[in-house]
Amino acid sequence: MRMPLPSAAAAAVAAAALVVLPGTASAAEVPAASFTISDPRIKESSGLAASRIHPGVYWTHNDSDDGPYVYAVDSATGRTVARVTLTGIGKPRDVEAISLGPDGQLYVGDIGDNRNGTWDHVWIYRFPEPRQLGDVTVKAAQFTVRYADGARNAESLMVHPVTGRVYIASKDESKGGLYEGPVELSADGSNVFRRVADVPWVTDGAFSPDGNRLTLRGYFAARTYPWKDGRPEGEGERVDAPWQGQAESVTYTPDGSTLMFGAEGEGSRVIAVPVGQGSAGASAAPKPGSPSEAAPSTEPTGSFAKGAVVLAVGLAIVFAAKRLLGRRRTRD
């Protein structure tokens, strides 16, 4: 969702765009490095997912008002190397997130709510990651999503890399929630997502490749939480996320050595931040046949209070801007 930025913040965004933080990776992979998305069609990159079969390629999409498109961007050049057109789905409303599951399929979250939590359902689209890069049209599965505790706005969708279970983090000025989907999504009827934990203001999230950690980011901060028994544990550890203004996306590189942080805007910068042994905890992808998580509990865990406090000042600015934008829309 596009949000107006104060003039001082705009200057900070411009400065952040010049920062290049070198990443680390195994010799078998393309080294992770910051890059700029050069495709003028990608003006509101709102999600990011690292390809597992195309080294150095990242999947992204626009926010709203673009259509059923997903783009593959080569980090070596910043150029689009594929545009996937989705068929078999309705008209996307507010696409906010993308994640790659252990089944080799991309999950696209049409989960934003420009009406601030009034749509009684949202959607997830799923399609196999193309093995060949190039413009292609694919038929996607469409899943209807409802929340057990009522409609809400969300911008973060994460698929666990071992269990394949889908999670959504809602976005709220005071206290968001982490919602767990059913064991398997069904194309028939609604898929009810249930709240399992409290989270701070979240614009995107990503699991480490082995599924042992969950990183959540907002406009002003990011934290990584141990993932145990199907839940985030404790208050997490701070990640040195870059200031990007309209910060909208995060993903791990396939080897787990680097976090890639993205933002909205034409010619937006994706910044590579090496995973530290203390902060985000590097973790490799699971080997085939790895055991799944222990059976999850049914009670919400973790208050994430400190994360919310860290964001408080920044959220006040965003909330004020949001209310101003709302007044303008009302007048229009």
Side-chain angles (χ1 to χ4, degrees), residues 133-214:
L133 293 175
D135 291 353
V136 64
T137 298
V138 302
K139 185 175 182 179
Q142 177 171 308
F143 305 98
T144 299
V145 170
R146 299 180 191 274
Y147 300 99
D149 54 357
R152 57 208 58 250
N153 187 24
E155 294 190 5
S156 312
L157 178 147
M158 299 78 65
V159 182
H160 194 275
V162 176
T163 67
R165 200 153 191 167
V166 182
Y167 295 84
I168 294 174
S170 66
K171 179 181 175 184
D172 189 87
E173 286 87 356
S174 56
K175 182 186 293 183
L178 182 67
Y179 290 80
E180 178 185 73
V183 175
E184 293 185 5
L185 296 178
S186 172
D188 299 322
S190 297
N191 296 271
V192 179
F193 278 59
R194 304 184 185 281
R195 190 181 186 113
V196 296
D198 296 334
V199 295
W201 178 286
V202 178
T203 59
D204 202 13
F207 283 107
S208 59
D210 65 356
N212 288 337
R213 289 177 176 268
L214 172 66

Side-chain angles (χ1 to χ4, degrees), residues 271-292:
I271 299 178
V273 176
V275 170
Q277 293 183 358
S279 58
S283 48
K287 297 179 180 179
S290 298
S292 298

